[in-house]
Amino acid sequence: MVRRLVPLAKVRVGPAPADESRPYDPTMPGTWREPHRDVKIPFEQALEEWSEVSVPILVEVAGTYGGYITYSELASRLNRATGIHTGQLLSNWSGKLLNRVIHLCRENGLPARSALVVHASDGTVGKGFDEVFRASNRNVPHTEIERERAAAAERLECYRVYCSTIPADAEPQLTRQYEARVNPRKKDTSRTNKVCPLHGIQLPATGFCDDCT
């Protein structure tokens, strides 16, 4: 008896094909308002509410001379104030939020409060700050230091509007982290140790050369 071999069915390797009949969900990867995490809200709604709440937060920051806030700190305060959270990475939506703040400030004739928001790692406002120049039809800075100096000048204008204790001779200041990177402090070499003129060795605390005694 001869058995006929039946070819095996081909097995698909890898992810299953996308279901084109499945409706597109604009709220993905997940934006919600606590405590209803399973109820998604449109991300545009989140941006709208965050931009409104960010105004008083940044005004508060500008109320302290030399003050600024990090992106992550701002995000945490927005989450607490609105209850809205998102599964998106902060780097994917913070620029969209601050762009709204930039245009809101410009429409009201106010300095760009986005200059008060910096990266925790290096104290810079980052390339997203270039929107300030585009919104006012100015040339975008060519270098990082030019951008950060412009942001420092914008922060000073914020302090002048919202801070009541700003010094009369106040000048634009880079953030502490960025200042330390671009202008590192040099070691004080003004105080030199005495050296024995005969043997050329450093004198001990007694002031007398051990080889001479």
Side-chain angles (χ1 to χ4, degrees):
M1 180 178 179
V2 179
R3 294 183 178 180
R4 297 179 60 185
L5 297 178
V6 179
L8 296 175
K10 293 183 178 180
V11 179
R12 180 181 295 274
V13 178
D19 183 4
E20 296 181 357
S21 63
R22 185 177 181 180
Y24 169 71
D25 184 356
T27 64
M28 294 299 287
T31 303
W32 68 94
R33 191 192 306 274
E34 293 289 1
H36 308 292
R37 185 162 188 166
D38 57 331
V39 180
K40 303 296 177 63
I41 64 174
F43 188 68
E44 282 298 314
Q45 178 183 336
L47 280 178
E48 184 66 27
E49 292 193 37
W50 284 336
S51 61
E52 292 178 0
V53 173
S54 67
V55 172
I57 292 177
L58 295 179
V59 167
E60 177 188 335
V61 173
T64 300
Y65 176 60
Y68 48 86
I69 188 171
T70 66
Y71 281 88
S72 57
E73 289 171 341
L74 176 61
S76 295
R77 293 190 61 173
L78 293 175
N79 294 152
R80 292 196 300 270
T82 64
I84 298 177
H85 297 255
T86 183
Q88 293 192 37
L89 294 175
L90 175 60
S91 57
N92 290 342
W93 61 266
S94 58
K96 298 175 183 178
L97 169 67
L98 292 183
N99 281 354
R100 292 181 177 227
V101 174
I102 289 170
H103 288 277
L104 180 63
C105 291
R106 178 164 174 75
E107 290 169 3
N108 290 276
L110 295 169
R113 288 186 285 254
S114 60
L116 299 163
V117 188
V118 302
H119 294 286
S121 58
D122 57 10
T124 65
V125 291
K127 293 183 179 180
F129 188 73
D130 290 348
E131 182 63 22
V132 172
F133 301 92
R134 299 189 187 98
S136 55
N137 295 317
R138 290 183 289 167
N139 293 329
V140 174
H142 295 292
T143 63
E144 180 184 74
I145 187 64
E146 290 177 340
R147 179 187 302 113
E148 297 307 318
R149 285 172 177 165
E154 205 71 23
R155 281 194 295 272
L156 179 58
E157 293 305 312
C158 289
Y159 303 144
R160 285 175 173 160
V161 173
Y162 302 110
C163 181
S164 59
T165 58
I166 182 172
D169 58 348
E171 296 181 352
Q173 296 179 351
L174 301 173
T175 62
R176 291 182 295 275
Q177 300 97 312
Y178 192 68
E179 177 71 35
R181 178 156 68 91
V182 297
N183 295 314
R185 293 183 179 180
K186 296 181 179 180
K187 294 183 178 180
D188 185 8
T189 58
S190 59
R191 298 179 61 184
T192 57
N193 295 315
K194 294 182 179 180
V195 177
C196 173
L198 179 61
H199 298 99
I201 60 175
Q202 180 178 321
L203 297 178
T206 60
F208 298 99
C209 177
D210 293 335
D211 291 347
C212 290
T213 56

